[in-house]
């Protein structure tokens, strides 16, 4: 899409359950520094991304990485 290495004004995530994994990758890799504003539709239901203890740990890791920035 031609966005590599460019700062994005807004990144919107709404992927019906995969947002935790995407958010973790974005935040923990440091690539979130390329985003000025992040809009995320978070799902906490077990049928949309948080169905196991491992999924909850992914969400916790994502939040930890965001907090450390």
């Amino acid at each position: 899409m031609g966005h590599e290495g460019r700062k994005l004004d807004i990144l919107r995530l709404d992927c019906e359950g995969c947002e935790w994994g995407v958010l973790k990758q974005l935040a923990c890799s440091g690539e979130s520094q390329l985003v000025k504003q992040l809009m995320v539709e978070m799902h906490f239901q077990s049928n949309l991304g948080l169905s196991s203890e491992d999924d909850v740990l992914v969400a916790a890791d994502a939040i930890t990485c965001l907090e450390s920035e």
Side-chain angles (χ1 to χ4, degrees), residues 8-15 19 22-23 26 32 35-43 66:
L8 300 176
D9 289 325
I10 298 173
L11 176 62
R12 182 168 188 261
L13 293 177
D14 181 10
C15 51
E19 64 275 358
V22 172
L23 187 58
L26 183 69
S32 60
V35 179
K36 293 179 183 178
Q37 185 176 39
L38 182 61
M39 296 171 42
V40 184
E41 184 175 318
M42 307 304 273
H43 297 95
L66 284 174

Side-chain angles (χ1 to χ4, degrees), residues 7-68:
K7 256 198 169 180
L8 300 176
D9 289 325
I10 298 173
L11 176 62
R12 182 168 188 261
L13 293 177
D14 181 10
C15 51
E16 303 304 319
C18 72
E19 64 275 358
W20 293 108
V22 172
L23 187 58
K24 178 183 175 183
Q25 181 177 347
L26 183 69
C28 295
S29 70
E31 291 178 343
S32 60
Q33 296 296 317
L34 297 174
V35 179
K36 293 179 183 178
Q37 185 176 39
L38 182 61
M39 296 171 42
V40 184
E41 184 175 318
M42 307 304 273
H43 297 95
F44 295 94
Q45 304 99 309
S46 61
N47 64 333
L48 286 175
L50 293 179
S51 58
S52 71
E53 187 174 313
D54 286 340
D55 294 333
V56 173
L57 292 175
V58 167
D61 286 344
I63 291 168
T64 299
C65 288
L66 284 174
E67 289 177 337
S68 67

